[in-house]
Amino acid sequence: MKLKSVLMAALISLSFLPTKADEGMWLPLLLGELNEAEMQAMGMRITAQDIYDANNSSIKDAIVHFGGFCTGEMISPEGLLLTNHHCGYGAIQSHSSVENDYLTDGYWAKNKGQELPNEGLYAMFIKYIVDVTDEVLQELPAGVSEEDREKLIQKIGEGFVEQETEGTHYGGYVRSFFNGNQFFMFITETFPDVRLVGAPPSSIGKYGADTDNWMWPRHTGDFSLFRVYMGPDGLPAEYSEDNVPYRPKHHLPISLKGYEPGDFSMVFGFPGRTQEYLPSVAIEQLTAEVNPARIELREEALAIMDKYMRADDEIRIQYASSFASIANYWKKWIGENTGLRESRAIERKRNAEADFRQKVSEMKNFKDEANIFAEYEKLYNKQLPYALARNYYVELGFRMLKTPGYALDWADVVNAKSGEDRDEAIAKLKADLDAHFKNYSELVEHDLWEKLVPFYASQVNDTYLAESLVALKGENMDAKISSMFYDSYITQPQKLKELLEGSPKKVAKKISKDPIYQLSMDMYSAYRSKVYGEYYGIEAELDLLHRRYMKALMAAFPDSTFYPDANSTLRVTYGQVKGFAPKDAVSYQHYTTMDGLVAKYVPGDYEFDLPKRMLELANERNYGQYANENGELPICFIAANHTTGGNSGSPALDADGNLIGLNFDRAWEGTMSDINYDVRRCRNIMVDARYILWTVDVFAGAGYLLDEMTLVRKPVEEPEEAVAE
Ligand code: ARG
Ligand code: GLU
């Protein structure tokens, strides 16, 4: 008994000891110093310099930030780019209509002339990275306030980048690491002409949709293909017919060799945000208050959208992206809460915090930090009501409802200083009218207003709400909102179009009295005046604590290797391909197969239907050259690689740096890895490269795309005589 509790305590306080493999998202330029030895001990056969080299071509030259929200990689010398289906989703949706439904049916360009341009989409490469910590700190005046510090760093960073890139077409940014204790500059090259080349039907690319999202075992072929174009002079250029395919300095060979459990694997990409050094009090609030609140609100919105999407194809296409993005984090937060509880994250943090207090109280320079958790608690408690009010408003006003943001645009008309300004603002809104209402259904928006706004008003304390909203509270609040919706112009495209036929003066007058315009503006001003300032004021105080805490932590445990939280910068994470056992008596294998995919098939279902051709090919076991040694077609696999949102589309590489898979998700049991990584339950999920190639080649008959790729096969065993010769 005694021994067991000693062991438990040892396990729980492991969190500040040197991180070993699996956990951590590492900066490519520091791999040689911090990670190479361990990576090679785990089986990697290449060097840190093969992965990142500022001067010669290296693997990093194949990695792009895809539109700033996902990762993509070069898989041919002609700029062919691989990313997830859900990353290309917005682009695929924008080319889709009820007649040409590429979301449902997929799309394969037969030649370069059929590759489809996407306004606003870009591919950004990292040229090189520089540690500018000393330079930034030198420029920062002593005693600068926390709020000014952030702005100043921003400005200093911009200056550095400008100086560094002068006379080139490069761009860049400086980002802060370890909560404002270190700074790195990233020099970038951005290509704005990125065209859609291929996408499987959603029944493959989104197989299992939201039921299977964040789940293992998984069978989703979550990939799509794009191509990066450049100007004829080799420089980045906006879309033009004269543009030619980009020629990357490196493209990833694709391996058909597969993997075994225990094999080394690494993921290279742009993880968005993690918070691995949060104090226990913050995790308590997140699990008890913040996550439940946002989960509940999203649940309400999803139910409404789902009802209409299932009934109407046009609405299904219009709301596909927005539904997917709301559903995604709704489900992630549920998994996160469960995972934090089951991994005993709060207890583990509390123990680590006790160790920390003990250590720093004996250190001359960090004595004050022994009290830091009391300070944390005070600030987090003070911030909580604002955090909740902010969350509700931002979710409702900027994510779920399309009109509050639109009302802000109309404010330019209502508040115009001159007739000229007013006319100009109206002209702009007129030009944007179709775009605003493209993915808009009155039926859906009406129900969202009618149900979510009363819900919001019931959940948030009146102190933080607009007075006009509070005045609507009561028994038939939903009926009142409903009639306001139908009395409004800005919620109804037809009515608004008719109004816009009239004189600008009349338009401005009508909108200024529009009930939904008024309510939207009131809600916005209440948020700005009663919530925003307080919330961010406390946030700045917290930032200072985070910075002090991190600095003290690194000083208190000098033998530990710390890794910085994700911040949308380029990182490498590595570990092993392996299954896991998340709970008593349950254990998962490391890969799935076509047999398992077909076993999930539900004819006609919107999540688990399959194309007839797929069923036929599976039935014939027509797996081409893509079967594994057991004659199965592998579909997805998992590894202990520490990833997060933004790592979607990142390549999974083997010990030789060849692509074996495409990262697209994490297993639900481990979604708390953003806050508390635990190798026993955290796994990232990848599509097997062989399934991707099978889909392109055998299923879609687009094998011509494989001609430009570099495929790596198992060495063929030569017959004895041939060797003897
Ligand atoms: N969970 C994955 C990620 O975080 C995939 C999301 C795709 N969206 C969806 N609702 N299925 O991005
Ligand atoms: N699907 C996520 C993305 O879009 C990656 C999964 C994760 O959060 O780990 O980046």
Side-chain angles (χ1 to χ4, degrees), residues 663-683:
N663 188 73
F664 72 101
D665 212 358
R666 273 175 289 167
W668 213 29
E669 291 85 347
T671 49
M672 84 302 182
S673 65
D674 293 345
I675 291 162
N676 181 45
Y677 187 90
D678 183 339
V679 71
R680 289 167 301 178
R681 48 191 299 146
C682 293
R683 291 294 178 277

Side-chain angles (χ1 to χ4, degrees), residues 693-709:
L693 295 180
W694 178 86
T695 303
V696 175
D697 180 5
V698 181
F699 171 79
Y704 51 89
L705 286 169
L706 271 63
D707 296 344
E708 59 182 285
M709 301 178 193

Side-chain angles (χ1 to χ4, degrees), residues 86 206 209-210 213-214 218 222 324-325 327-329 648 664-665:
H86 80 262
K206 209 185 160 164
D210 290 303
N213 191 21
W214 300 110
R218 186 65 154 277
D222 196 343
S325 96
N328 194 33
Y329 265 58
S648 274
F664 72 101
D665 212 358

Side-chain angles (χ1 to χ4, degrees), residues 208 210 273 309 386 421 449 470 500 564 664 671 701:
D210 290 303
R273 186 174 132 125
M309 287 170 73
Y386 301 103
D421 286 1
W449 271 93
V470 176
L500 281 167
F664 72 101
T671 49

Side-chain angles (χ1 to χ4, degrees), residues 38 268 270 507 601:
E38 187 185 61
F268 205 173
F270 291 85
V507 172
Y601 168 53

Side-chain angles (χ1 to χ4, degrees), residues 183-484:
F183 303 90
F184 289 85
M185 175 165 67
F186 297 76
I187 298 303
T188 61
E189 185 177 25
T190 304
F191 292 82
D193 184 358
V194 178
R195 303 185 196 171
L196 176 64
V197 174
S202 287
S203 51
I204 292 178
K206 209 185 160 164
Y207 188 58
D210 290 303
T211 298
D212 264 14
N213 191 21
W214 300 110
M215 302 298 253
W216 185 255
R218 186 65 154 277
H219 302 83
T220 312
D222 196 343
F223 78 94
S224 61
L225 292 167
F226 287 78
R227 190 185 304 282
V228 177
Y229 280 79
M230 61 183 180
D233 56 359
L235 296 178
E238 292 293 336
Y239 169 79
S240 151
E241 275 186 27
D242 300 335
N243 285 353
V244 297
Y246 171 66
R247 305 199 67 84
K249 287 213 284 187
H250 182 77
H251 69 270
L252 299 174
I254 302 179
S255 169
L256 302 181
K257 294 197 279 192
Y259 39 76
E260 295 294 331
D263 278 359
F264 175 84
S265 72
M266 65 180 161
V267 171
F268 205 173
F270 291 85
R273 186 174 132 125
T274 59
Q275 300 172 284
E276 309 288 350
Y277 304 98
L278 277 186
S280 55
V281 52
I283 302 179
E284 275 180 292
Q285 267 187 10
L286 186 76
T287 48
E289 308 273 355
V290 180
N291 274 349
R294 41 194 192 182
I295 289 165
E296 211 185 354
L297 181 64
R298 286 195 172 198
E299 217 149 76
E300 300 275 326
L302 290 169
I304 295 166
M305 293 162 77
D306 187 59
K307 188 177 94 192
Y308 287 104
M309 287 170 73
R310 281 179 194 248
D312 184 312
D313 269 347
E314 193 187 344
I315 295 180
R316 175 181 55 78
I317 294 175
Q318 285 178 319
Y319 283 80
S321 258
S322 150
F323 185 93
S325 96
I326 294 172
N328 194 33
Y329 265 58
W330 161 74
K331 193 164 178 183
K332 189 226 159 179
W333 291 323
I334 296 174
E336 185 172 270
N337 259 12
T338 312
L340 287 170
R341 193 179 61 241
E342 290 180 357
S343 67
R344 306 216 270 161
I346 295 173
E347 190 179 343
R348 181 180 156 183
K349 285 275 178 187
R350 283 219 192 95
N351 285 313
E353 286 166 7
D355 288 354
F356 170 85
R357 262 201 309 264
Q358 170 76 33
K359 272 256 182 253
V360 288
S361 60
E362 292 157 9
M363 294 168 74
K364 236 176 57 222
N365 297 332
F366 292 100
K367 274 212 163 53
D368 287 352
E369 270 64 22
N371 282 324
I372 207 160
F373 302 110
E375 294 180 58
Y376 263 131
E377 192 165 338
K378 222 173 86 202
L379 281 178
Y380 273 112
N381 287 339
K382 193 168 144 205
Q383 194 190 36
L384 182 62
Y386 301 103
L388 288 171
R390 174 179 164 275
N391 240 299
Y392 273 113
Y393 178 76
V394 171
E395 284 273 307
L396 179 79
F398 289 125
R399 184 181 286 277
M400 288 157 188
L401 302 176
K402 300 211 157 93
T403 315
Y406 194 47
L408 290 179
D409 296 341
W410 276 99
D412 289 347
V413 172
V414 173
N415 303 324
K417 295 228 164 53
S418 68
E420 225 168 64
D421 286 1
R422 179 196 60 207
D423 296 357
E424 198 179 303
I426 290 182
K428 194 164 166 278
L429 280 157
K430 249 184 173 164
D432 291 344
L433 199 71
D434 288 340
H436 173 71
F437 287 107
K438 180 168 186 246
N439 293 327
Y440 185 101
S441 147
E442 274 171 51
L443 290 172
V444 177
E445 298 298 322
H446 168 271
D447 284 20
L448 290 173
W449 271 93
E450 187 190 57
K451 301 220 166 61
L452 297 187
V453 174
F455 182 73
Y456 161 69
S458 73
Q459 296 299 302
V460 175
N461 194 305
D462 286 359
T463 347
Y464 308 117
L465 294 176
E467 276 151 36
S468 60
L469 182 64
V470 176
L472 290 171
K473 281 172 93 164
E475 239 175 56
N476 40 19
M477 184 174 188
D478 47 354
K480 287 185 208 155
I481 302 233
S482 171
S483 62
M484 287 165 76

